[in-house]
Amino acid sequence: AASPRAIAPRATLGTRRAGRDASIRARRILGRRRRRRRDARADAIEDERAMEDDDTAKRVDAASEVLDKIIRETVEGIFLEEAATEVLNEASAANEREAVESAVDKRAVLRAVVRSHFEELDGSFLAALGAYVRASEASGDLQLVSLLNAIKEETLATVTDSLTDEMQVVQLVARLKSNEERFEVIRVAHAGGGRALGDVDVPGVSVEKIERAAAQLIDELELQEQIPNWDLLYQVIVVRETARQLSKAADASGVYSDVVVSGSFAPSELPKAESALIKELVVVNTVAQRRALLAQMFDETRDKLDQDFDRSSGKVKLKKTTRGFQPRVERAAATAAGLDSRDLRPGRFIDSVINLRVSLLREGEESTPVVTRLGEIYYEMCDVVMENANVG
């Protein structure tokens, strides 16, 4: 009989082989299960993204439908008013009475139409309106461009009626042409309100509340996947920086010297795109070159983000975007090659310059040259913002 010592190795070898085979099978089964789980997770993520895209597409389509209705109803309303006036004039002529000389108030017709759809307007409406304007400009339809701009003005005016005092001041200051006018209105508001610029009623609001209201609106505009209205964004940035320059927190050079809180990044950190641009600008010694670089980068930002619109249909092309300093995976190659201007935002860039300057001020005299340069960049960026605001 074989001794237990002679059998044990064979048994152990068979057991090991069986165990190895079982382990291989188990790994294969687990691998298939992991792949199925990964596939299921990927499918779930894609489904979630598809749902988000569908929801965004529905909002954009709804906004486009509202805009179509406003255009149609305005044109029809003006036509009916003009037709009624013409009929009255013909009747007056037939009866040898004085003709009706009052012209049709087209602005009143438009105002009534916009207000009738006020509850349907949301953040997607201005984005749709901007797409319509660009498509109309591209096709050379200047009459439609004029109507669309009038719709934008009436929409903003209608919204203003329901705004808080600070937002009314922001809206008022955003339309002013000169620094002197903006300073006057904000000073009157800060002093308790009253008349400014001769005949403009200004509610009483502190400089700090005006700055916070403008900053909040800028965050809301810049955190959207598509900037709904570039003119409005730049105009509100002008308001915010005017309020900051009048604030107690402004230093002797007029630059805001307190940490600002943004909705898109933490005060202790700088967004990657804005940080990269600041690094490029700090080593440029001439004002003209820095301003040219700023203008170029933010023109590129606007142009590239506007390419997310399908100009042929006026609808938004849904693409993933980034907020703050979260990188875009699909742009890894572009980011590795250099700064991607699509990740820049003008309001966030100014906040980044201010916060970096504040942190360097605390380091003492050794940082003075960089602090001075950042102050220059701040004012140069304010100039670029003014050039893009299209105020007045």
Side-chain angles (χ1 to χ4, degrees):
S3 68
R5 292 178 62 86
I7 295 175
R10 291 195 187 98
T12 302
L13 182 61
T15 301
R16 287 174 179 171
R17 184 179 297 112
R20 186 169 62 251
D21 292 343
S23 177
I24 291 171
R25 288 196 298 273
R27 284 199 298 271
R28 288 174 178 169
I29 292 171
L30 289 173
R32 286 196 295 270
R33 288 178 177 174
R34 280 196 294 268
R35 285 194 295 273
R36 284 198 293 269
R37 286 199 297 270
R38 284 198 301 268
D39 292 342
R41 284 197 297 269
D43 290 342
I45 291 171
E46 288 300 321
D47 289 344
E48 183 178 353
R49 288 174 179 167
M51 290 174 64
E52 291 176 355
D53 287 353
D54 287 344
D55 183 55
T56 304
K58 288 177 182 177
R59 290 199 303 271
V60 172
D61 287 342
S64 298
E65 289 176 7
V66 174
L67 183 53
D68 286 338
K69 285 191 289 185
I70 290 175
I71 293 171
R72 185 178 63 254
E73 292 174 17
T74 300
V75 172
E76 290 174 354
I78 292 173
F79 175 78
L80 290 174
E81 289 284 341
E82 289 178 341
T85 301
E86 185 175 349
V87 169
L88 287 173
N89 285 337
E90 290 176 356
S92 298
N95 294 318
E96 298 181 350
R97 293 197 303 267
E98 185 178 351
V100 178
E101 295 183 357
S102 59
V104 174
D105 188 346
K106 297 179 181 179
R107 181 69 69 169
V109 173
L110 174 57
R111 185 177 303 116
V113 172
V114 169
R115 291 185 176 182
S116 70
H117 292 284
F118 181 72
E119 296 300 325
E120 301 173 74
L121 307 183
D122 60 12
S124 301
F125 180 76
L126 288 176
L129 183 56
Y132 273 56
V133 169
R134 286 191 296 276
S136 301
E137 288 175 339
S139 65
D141 191 345
L142 300 182
Q143 189 173 5
L144 181 55
V145 171
S146 177
L147 174 58
L148 292 170
N149 285 328
I151 290 173
K152 181 181 74 172
E153 291 177 9
E154 284 302 327
T155 300
L156 295 175
T158 302
V159 170
T160 301
D161 292 342
S162 60
L163 294 178
T164 59
D165 287 346
E166 49 264 42
M167 286 305 298
Q168 287 187 42
V169 175
V170 169
Q171 191 268 347
L172 172 60
V173 176
R175 296 186 175 186
L176 298 176
K177 295 181 180 181
S178 69
N179 280 332
E180 291 74 18
E181 290 175 329
R182 287 187 286 272
F183 287 149
E184 179 180 344
V185 169
I186 292 179
R187 286 185 178 118
V188 169
H190 186 70
R195 286 291 180 98
L197 307 178
D199 59 351
V200 178
D201 289 322
V202 180
V205 186
S206 69
V207 168
E208 291 74 22
K209 287 186 176 180
I210 295 170
E211 189 274 337
R212 283 196 297 270
Q216 182 179 0
L217 181 53
I218 292 166
D219 282 345
E220 291 173 358
L221 290 169
E222 292 191 336
L223 286 172
Q224 295 191 44
E225 298 207 3
Q226 176 67 36
I227 302 297
N229 188 314
W230 284 98
D231 288 352
L232 177 62
L233 172 59
Y234 279 113
Q235 289 164 10
V236 179
I237 293 173
V238 170
V239 177
R240 184 188 69 182
E241 298 314 311
T242 304
R244 285 175 175 175
Q245 290 167 23
L246 290 173
S247 168
K248 292 181 294 184
D251 62 15
S253 66
V255 181
Y256 197 78
S257 298
D258 216 347
V259 173
V260 296
V261 179
S262 171
S264 59
F265 68 98
S268 59
E269 299 177 347
L270 291 179
K272 290 181 179 178
E274 282 74 14
S275 178
L277 181 55
I278 291 172
K279 288 178 182 177
E280 286 189 32
L281 290 163
V282 165
V283 297
V284 178
N285 292 323
T286 64
V287 173
Q289 286 180 310
R290 289 196 300 268
R291 289 187 79 253
L293 179 57
L294 283 166
Q296 175 192 342
M297 293 304 299
F298 284 98
D299 282 346
E300 284 184 13
T301 299
R302 182 172 185 163
D303 291 342
K304 289 182 178 180
L305 289 178
D306 284 348
Q307 287 173 6
D308 288 344
F309 278 91
D310 182 353
R311 297 181 187 277
S312 62
S313 64
K315 295 180 181 179
V316 178
K317 286 184 178 179
L318 302 174
K319 294 183 179 180
K320 299 172 191 175
T321 60
T322 183
R323 294 186 176 187
F325 28 68
Q326 297 298 321
R328 287 192 180 124
V329 175
E330 66 271 23
R331 292 197 209 148
T335 304
L339 171 64
D340 190 335
S341 59
R342 289 176 294 181
D343 288 328
L344 290 169
R345 296 295 181 272
R348 193 167 67 204
F349 176 80
I350 290 177
D351 284 347
S352 300
V353 171
I354 289 174
N355 282 355
L356 178 58
R357 186 174 179 273
V358 169
S359 68
L360 293 175
L361 280 169
R362 296 169 180 168
E363 293 183 3
E365 293 184 359
E366 65 272 14
S367 299
T368 299
V370 181
V371 168
T372 301
R373 178 57 52 84
L374 289 172
E376 294 168 349
I377 292 172
Y378 167 80
Y379 280 113
E380 290 153 9
M381 184 59 194
C382 287
D383 289 341
V384 172
V385 168
M386 278 299 306
E387 290 172 1
N388 285 279
N390 293 324
V391 293

Coordinates of all heavy atoms in Angstrom, one line a residue, residues 195-263:
R195 N -32.7 111.7 -7.3 CA -32.5 112.0 -8.8 C -31.1 112.1 -9.2 O -30.2 112.6 -8.5 CB -33.2 113.4 -9.1 CG -34.7 113.4 -9.1 CD -35.2 112.6 -10.3 NE -36.7 112.5 -10.3 CZ -37.4 113.3 -11.1 NH1 -36.8 114.2 -11.9 NH2 -38.7 113.2 -11.1
A196 N -30.8 111.5 -10.3 CA -29.4 111.5 -10.9 C -29.5 111.8 -12.4 O -30.6 111.5 -13.0 CB -28.7 110.2 -10.7
L197 N -28.5 112.3 -12.9 CA -28.4 112.6 -14.4 C -29.6 113.5 -14.8 O -30.0 113.4 -15.9 CB -28.4 111.3 -15.2 CG -27.3 110.3 -14.8 CD1 -27.5 109.1 -15.7 CD2 -25.9 110.9 -14.9
G198 N -30.0 114.4 -13.9 CA -31.1 115.3 -14.2 C -32.5 114.8 -13.9 O -33.2 115.4 -13.1
D199 N -32.9 113.7 -14.5 CA -34.3 113.2 -14.3 C -34.4 111.7 -14.1 O -35.5 111.2 -14.4 CB -35.1 113.6 -15.6 CG -34.5 113.0 -16.9 OD1 -33.4 112.4 -16.8 OD2 -35.2 113.1 -17.9
V200 N -33.4 111.1 -13.7 CA -33.5 109.6 -13.5 C -33.7 109.3 -12.0 O -32.9 109.8 -11.1 CB -32.2 108.9 -14.0 CG1 -32.2 107.4 -13.7 CG2 -31.9 109.2 -15.4
D201 N -34.7 108.6 -11.7 CA -35.0 108.2 -10.3 C -34.2 107.0 -9.9 O -34.2 106.0 -10.6 CB -36.5 107.9 -10.1 CG -37.4 109.1 -10.2 OD1 -36.9 110.2 -9.6 OD2 -38.5 109.1 -10.8
V202 N -33.4 107.1 -8.8 CA -32.5 106.0 -8.4 C -32.9 105.6 -7.0 O -33.0 106.4 -6.1 CB -31.0 106.5 -8.4 CG1 -30.1 105.4 -8.0 CG2 -30.7 107.1 -9.8
P203 N -33.2 104.3 -6.8 CA -33.5 103.8 -5.5 C -32.3 103.8 -4.6 O -31.1 103.8 -5.1 CB -34.0 102.4 -5.7 CG -33.4 102.0 -7.0 CD -33.3 103.2 -7.8
G204 N -32.5 103.9 -3.3 CA -31.4 103.9 -2.4 C -30.8 102.5 -2.1 O -31.5 101.6 -1.6
V205 N -29.6 102.2 -2.5 CA -28.9 100.9 -2.3 C -27.4 101.2 -2.0 O -26.8 102.0 -2.7 CB -29.0 100.1 -3.6 CG1 -28.5 98.7 -3.3 CG2 -30.5 100.0 -4.1
S206 N -26.9 100.4 -1.1 CA -25.4 100.6 -0.8 C -24.6 100.1 -1.9 O -25.0 99.2 -2.7 CB -25.1 99.9 0.5 OG -25.1 98.5 0.3
V207 N -23.3 100.6 -2.0 CA -22.4 100.2 -3.0 C -22.1 98.7 -2.8 O -22.0 97.9 -3.8 CB -21.0 100.9 -2.8 CG1 -19.9 100.3 -3.6 CG2 -21.2 102.4 -3.3
E208 N -22.1 98.2 -1.6 CA -21.8 96.8 -1.4 C -22.9 95.9 -1.9 O -22.6 94.8 -2.5 CB -21.6 96.5 0.1 CG -20.4 97.1 0.7 CD -20.4 98.6 0.9 OE1 -21.6 99.2 0.9 OE2 -19.3 99.3 1.0
K209 N -24.1 96.3 -1.8 CA -25.3 95.5 -2.3 C -25.3 95.5 -3.8 O -25.6 94.5 -4.5 CB -26.6 96.0 -1.8 CG -26.8 95.7 -0.3 CD -28.2 96.1 0.2 CE -28.5 95.6 1.6 NZ -29.8 96.0 2.0
I210 N -24.9 96.7 -4.4 CA -24.9 96.8 -5.9 C -23.8 95.8 -6.4 O -24.0 95.1 -7.4 CB -24.6 98.2 -6.3 CG1 -25.7 99.1 -5.9 CG2 -24.3 98.3 -7.8 CD1 -25.4 100.6 -6.1
E211 N -22.6 95.8 -5.8 CA -21.5 94.9 -6.2 C -21.9 93.5 -6.1 O -21.7 92.7 -7.0 CB -20.3 95.2 -5.3 CG -19.0 94.5 -5.8 CD -18.9 93.1 -5.2 OE1 -19.5 92.8 -4.2 OE2 -18.2 92.3 -5.9
R212 N -22.6 93.1 -4.9 CA -23.0 91.7 -4.8 C -24.0 91.3 -5.8 O -24.0 90.2 -6.3 CB -23.5 91.5 -3.3 CG -22.4 91.4 -2.3 CD -22.9 90.8 -1.0 NE -23.9 91.6 -0.4 CZ -23.7 92.6 0.5 NH1 -22.4 92.9 0.9 NH2 -24.7 93.3 1.0
A213 N -25.0 92.2 -6.1 CA -26.0 91.8 -7.0 C -25.4 91.6 -8.4 O -25.8 90.7 -9.1 CB -27.1 92.9 -7.1
A214 N -24.5 92.5 -8.8 CA -23.9 92.4 -10.1 C -23.0 91.1 -10.2 O -23.0 90.4 -11.2 CB -23.0 93.6 -10.4
A215 N -22.3 90.9 -9.1 CA -21.4 89.7 -9.1 C -22.2 88.4 -9.2 O -21.8 87.4 -9.9 CB -20.6 89.7 -7.8
Q216 N -23.4 88.4 -8.5 CA -24.2 87.2 -8.6 C -24.8 87.0 -10.0 O -24.8 85.8 -10.5 CB -25.4 87.3 -7.6 CG -26.3 86.1 -7.6 CD -27.5 86.2 -6.6 OE1 -27.6 87.3 -5.9 NE2 -28.3 85.2 -6.5
L217 N -25.2 88.0 -10.6 CA -25.7 87.9 -12.0 C -24.6 87.4 -13.0 O -24.8 86.6 -13.8 CB -26.2 89.3 -12.5 CG -26.8 89.3 -13.9 CD1 -27.9 88.2 -14.1 CD2 -27.4 90.7 -14.1
I218 N -23.4 87.9 -12.8 CA -22.2 87.5 -13.6 C -22.0 86.0 -13.4 O -21.8 85.3 -14.4 CB -21.0 88.3 -13.2 CG1 -21.2 89.8 -13.7 CG2 -19.7 87.7 -13.9 CD1 -20.1 90.7 -13.1
D219 N -22.0 85.6 -12.2 CA -21.8 84.1 -11.9 C -22.9 83.3 -12.6 O -22.5 82.3 -13.2 CB -21.9 83.8 -10.4 CG -20.6 84.2 -9.7 OD1 -19.6 84.4 -10.3 OD2 -20.6 84.3 -8.4
E220 N -24.1 83.8 -12.5 CA -25.2 83.0 -13.2 C -25.0 82.9 -14.7 O -25.2 81.9 -15.3 CB -26.5 83.6 -12.8 CG -26.9 83.5 -11.4 CD -28.2 84.2 -11.0 OE1 -28.7 84.9 -11.9 OE2 -28.6 84.1 -9.8
L221 N -24.5 84.0 -15.3 CA -24.3 84.1 -16.7 C -23.1 83.2 -17.1 O -23.2 82.5 -18.1 CB -24.1 85.5 -17.2 CG -25.3 86.4 -17.2 CD1 -24.9 87.9 -17.4 CD2 -26.4 86.0 -18.2
E222 N -22.0 83.3 -16.4 CA -20.8 82.6 -16.8 C -20.9 81.1 -16.4 O -20.1 80.4 -17.0 CB -19.6 83.3 -16.1 CG -19.3 84.7 -16.6 CD -18.0 85.2 -16.2 OE1 -17.5 84.8 -15.1 OE2 -17.5 86.1 -16.8
L223 N -21.7 80.7 -15.5 CA -21.8 79.3 -15.2 C -22.8 78.5 -16.1 O -22.8 77.3 -16.1 CB -22.3 79.1 -13.8 CG -21.2 79.4 -12.7 CD1 -21.8 79.4 -11.3 CD2 -20.1 78.4 -12.8
Q224 N -23.4 79.2 -17.0 CA -24.3 78.5 -18.0 C -23.4 77.9 -19.1 O -22.4 78.4 -19.4 CB -25.3 79.5 -18.6 CG -26.3 80.0 -17.6 CD -27.5 80.7 -18.2 OE1 -28.0 80.3 -19.2 NE2 -27.8 81.9 -17.6
E225 N -23.9 76.8 -19.7 CA -23.2 76.1 -20.7 C -23.0 77.0 -21.9 O -22.0 76.9 -22.6 CB -23.9 74.8 -21.1 CG -24.0 73.9 -19.9 CD -24.0 72.4 -20.3 OE1 -23.9 72.2 -21.6 OE2 -24.2 71.6 -19.5
Q226 N -23.9 77.9 -22.2 CA -23.8 78.8 -23.3 C -24.1 80.2 -22.8 O -25.1 80.4 -22.2 CB -24.8 78.5 -24.4 CG -24.8 79.5 -25.6 CD -23.4 79.5 -26.4 OE1 -22.8 78.5 -26.5 NE2 -23.0 80.7 -26.8
I227 N -23.1 81.2 -22.9 CA -23.4 82.5 -22.5 C -24.6 83.1 -23.2 O -24.6 83.2 -24.5 CB -22.2 83.4 -22.8 CG1 -20.9 82.9 -22.1 CG2 -22.5 84.9 -22.3 CD1 -21.0 82.8 -20.6
P228 N -25.7 83.4 -22.5 CA -26.9 83.7 -23.2 C -26.9 85.1 -23.9 O -27.6 85.3 -24.9 CB -28.0 83.7 -22.1 CG -27.2 83.9 -20.8 CD -25.9 83.3 -21.1
N229 N -26.1 86.0 -23.3 CA -26.1 87.4 -23.9 C -24.7 88.0 -23.5 O -24.5 88.4 -22.4 CB -27.2 88.2 -23.4 CG -27.4 89.5 -24.1 OD1 -26.4 90.3 -24.2 ND2 -28.6 89.9 -24.4
W230 N -23.8 88.1 -24.5 CA -22.5 88.6 -24.2 C -22.5 90.1 -23.9 O -21.8 90.5 -23.0 CB -21.6 88.3 -25.4 CG -21.1 86.9 -25.6 CD1 -21.7 85.9 -26.3 CD2 -20.0 86.3 -24.8 NE1 -21.0 84.7 -26.2 CE2 -20.0 84.9 -25.3 CE3 -19.1 86.7 -23.9 CZ2 -19.0 84.0 -24.8 CZ3 -18.2 85.9 -23.4 CH2 -18.2 84.5 -23.8
D231 N -23.3 90.8 -24.6 CA -23.4 92.3 -24.3 C -23.8 92.5 -22.8 O -23.2 93.3 -22.1 CB -24.4 93.0 -25.2 CG -23.9 93.1 -26.6 OD1 -22.7 92.8 -26.9 OD2 -24.6 93.5 -27.5
L232 N -24.8 91.8 -22.4 CA -25.3 91.9 -21.0 C -24.2 91.5 -20.0 O -24.0 92.2 -19.0 CB -26.5 91.0 -20.8 CG -27.1 91.0 -19.4 CD1 -27.6 92.4 -19.0 CD2 -28.3 90.0 -19.3
L233 N -23.5 90.4 -20.3 CA -22.4 90.0 -19.4 C -21.4 91.1 -19.2 O -21.0 91.4 -18.1 CB -21.8 88.7 -19.9 CG -20.5 88.2 -19.2 CD1 -20.8 88.0 -17.7 CD2 -19.9 87.0 -19.9
Y234 N -20.9 91.6 -20.3 CA -19.9 92.7 -20.3 C -20.4 93.9 -19.6 O -19.7 94.6 -18.8 CB -19.4 93.0 -21.7 CG -18.3 92.0 -22.1 CD1 -18.6 91.2 -23.2 CD2 -17.1 91.9 -21.5 CE1 -17.6 90.3 -23.7 CE2 -16.1 91.0 -22.0 CZ -16.4 90.2 -23.0 OH -15.4 89.3 -23.5
Q235 N -21.7 94.3 -19.8 CA -22.3 95.5 -19.2 C -22.4 95.3 -17.7 O -22.1 96.2 -16.9 CB -23.7 95.7 -19.8 CG -23.6 96.2 -21.2 CD -25.0 96.1 -21.9 OE1 -26.0 95.8 -21.3 NE2 -25.0 96.4 -23.2
V236 N -22.7 94.1 -17.2 CA -22.8 93.9 -15.8 C -21.5 93.8 -15.1 O -21.3 94.3 -14.0 CB -23.6 92.6 -15.5 CG1 -23.7 92.3 -14.0 CG2 -25.0 92.7 -16.1
I237 N -20.5 93.3 -15.9 CA -19.1 93.4 -15.3 C -18.7 94.8 -15.1 O -18.0 95.2 -14.1 CB -18.1 92.7 -16.3 CG1 -18.4 91.2 -16.3 CG2 -16.7 92.9 -15.8 CD1 -17.6 90.4 -17.3
V238 N -19.0 95.7 -16.1 CA -18.7 97.1 -15.9 C -19.4 97.7 -14.6 O -18.7 98.4 -13.9 CB -19.2 97.9 -17.1 CG1 -19.1 99.4 -16.9 CG2 -18.4 97.6 -18.4
V239 N -20.6 97.3 -14.4 CA -21.3 97.8 -13.2 C -20.6 97.3 -11.9 O -20.3 98.0 -11.0 CB -22.8 97.3 -13.1 CG1 -23.4 97.7 -11.8 CG2 -23.5 97.8 -14.3
R240 N -20.2 96.0 -11.9 CA -19.6 95.4 -10.7 C -18.2 96.1 -10.4 O -18.0 96.4 -9.3 CB -19.3 93.9 -11.0 CG -18.7 93.2 -9.8 CD -18.3 91.8 -10.1 NE -17.2 91.7 -11.0 CZ -16.7 90.6 -11.5 NH1 -17.2 89.4 -11.2 NH2 -15.6 90.6 -12.3
E241 N -17.4 96.3 -11.5 CA -16.1 96.9 -11.3 C -16.3 98.4 -10.9 O -15.4 98.9 -10.2 CB -15.2 96.7 -12.5 CG -14.9 95.3 -12.8 CD -14.6 94.5 -11.6 OE1 -13.7 94.9 -10.8 OE2 -15.1 93.4 -11.4
T242 N -17.3 99.1 -11.4 CA -17.5 100.5 -11.0 C -17.8 100.5 -9.5 O -17.3 101.4 -8.8 CB -18.6 101.1 -11.8 OG1 -18.3 101.0 -13.2 CG2 -18.8 102.6 -11.5
A243 N -18.7 99.6 -9.1 CA -19.1 99.6 -7.7 C -17.8 99.3 -6.8 O -17.6 99.8 -5.7 CB -20.2 98.6 -7.4
R244 N -17.0 98.3 -7.3 CA -15.8 98.0 -6.5 C -14.8 99.2 -6.4 O -14.2 99.4 -5.4 CB -15.1 96.8 -7.2 CG -15.8 95.5 -6.9 CD -15.2 94.3 -7.7 NE -15.8 93.0 -7.4 CZ -15.5 91.9 -8.0 NH1 -14.5 91.9 -8.9 NH2 -16.1 90.8 -7.6
Q245 N -14.7 99.9 -7.5 CA -13.8 101.1 -7.4 C -14.3 102.2 -6.5 O -13.5 103.0 -6.0 CB -13.6 101.6 -8.9 CG -12.8 100.6 -9.8 CD -12.9 101.0 -11.2 OE1 -13.1 102.2 -11.6 NE2 -12.6 100.0 -12.1
L246 N -15.6 102.2 -6.2 CA -16.2 103.2 -5.3 C -16.3 102.6 -3.9 O -16.7 103.3 -3.0 CB -17.6 103.6 -5.8 CG -17.6 104.5 -7.0 CD1 -19.1 104.7 -7.5 CD2 -17.0 105.8 -6.8
S247 N -15.9 101.4 -3.7 CA -16.0 100.7 -2.4 C -14.9 101.1 -1.5 O -13.8 101.6 -1.9 CB -16.0 99.2 -2.6 OG -15.8 98.5 -1.4
K248 N -15.2 100.9 -0.2 CA -14.2 101.2 0.8 C -13.0 100.2 0.7 O -11.9 100.5 1.2 CB -14.8 101.1 2.2 CG -15.9 102.1 2.6 CD -16.4 102.0 4.0 CE -17.2 100.7 4.1 NZ -17.8 100.5 5.4
A249 N -13.3 99.1 0.1 CA -12.2 98.1 -0.1 C -11.2 98.4 -1.2 O -10.2 97.7 -1.3 CB -12.8 96.7 -0.3
A250 N -11.5 99.5 -2.0 CA -10.5 99.9 -3.0 C -9.3 100.6 -2.4 O -9.5 101.4 -1.5 CB -11.2 100.8 -4.0
D251 N -8.1 100.3 -2.9 CA -6.9 100.9 -2.3 C -6.7 102.2 -3.1 O -7.5 102.7 -3.8 CB -5.7 100.0 -2.4 CG -5.4 99.6 -3.8 OD1 -5.8 100.2 -4.8 OD2 -4.6 98.6 -4.0
A252 N -5.5 102.8 -2.8 CA -5.1 104.1 -3.4 C -5.1 104.1 -4.9 O -5.4 105.1 -5.5 CB -3.8 104.6 -2.8
S253 N -4.8 103.0 -5.5 CA -4.8 102.9 -6.9 C -6.2 102.7 -7.5 O -6.4 102.6 -8.8 CB -3.9 101.7 -7.4 OG -4.4 100.5 -7.0
G254 N -7.2 102.5 -6.7 CA -8.6 102.3 -7.1 C -8.9 100.8 -7.4 O -10.1 100.5 -7.8
V255 N -8.0 99.9 -7.2 CA -8.3 98.5 -7.4 C -8.8 97.9 -6.1 O -8.3 98.1 -5.0 CB -7.0 97.7 -7.8 CG1 -7.3 96.3 -8.0 CG2 -6.4 98.4 -9.0
Y256 N -9.9 97.1 -6.3 CA -10.5 96.4 -5.1 C -9.4 95.5 -4.5 O -8.8 94.7 -5.1 CB -11.7 95.5 -5.6 CG -12.6 95.1 -4.6 CD1 -13.6 95.9 -4.1 CD2 -12.6 93.8 -4.1 CE1 -14.5 95.5 -3.1 CE2 -13.5 93.3 -3.2 CZ -14.5 94.2 -2.7 OH -15.4 93.8 -1.8
S257 N -9.3 95.6 -3.2 CA -8.2 95.0 -2.5 C -8.6 94.0 -1.3 O -8.0 93.9 -0.3 CB -7.2 96.0 -1.9 OG -6.7 96.8 -2.9
D258 N -9.8 93.5 -1.6 CA -10.3 92.4 -0.6 C -10.6 91.2 -1.4 O -10.8 91.2 -2.7 CB -11.6 92.9 0.0 CG -11.7 92.5 1.4 OD1 -11.0 91.6 1.8 OD2 -12.6 93.0 2.1
V259 N -10.5 90.0 -0.8 CA -10.8 88.8 -1.5 C -12.2 88.7 -2.0 O -13.1 89.1 -1.2 CB -10.5 87.6 -0.6 CG1 -10.9 86.3 -1.2 CG2 -9.0 87.5 -0.2
V260 N -12.4 88.4 -3.2 CA -13.8 88.3 -3.8 C -14.2 86.8 -3.8 O -13.4 85.9 -4.0 CB -13.9 88.9 -5.2 CG1 -13.6 90.4 -5.1 CG2 -12.9 88.2 -6.2
V261 N -15.5 86.6 -3.6 CA -16.0 85.3 -3.6 C -16.8 85.1 -4.8 O -17.7 85.8 -5.2 CB -16.9 85.1 -2.3 CG1 -17.5 83.7 -2.4 CG2 -16.2 85.3 -1.0
S262 N -16.4 84.0 -5.6 CA -17.0 83.7 -6.9 C -17.8 82.4 -6.7 O -17.5 81.6 -5.9 CB -16.0 83.6 -8.0 OG -16.5 83.1 -9.1
G263 N -18.9 82.3 -7.5 CA -19.7 81.1 -7.5 C -19.0 80.0 -8.2 O -19.5 78.8 -8.2

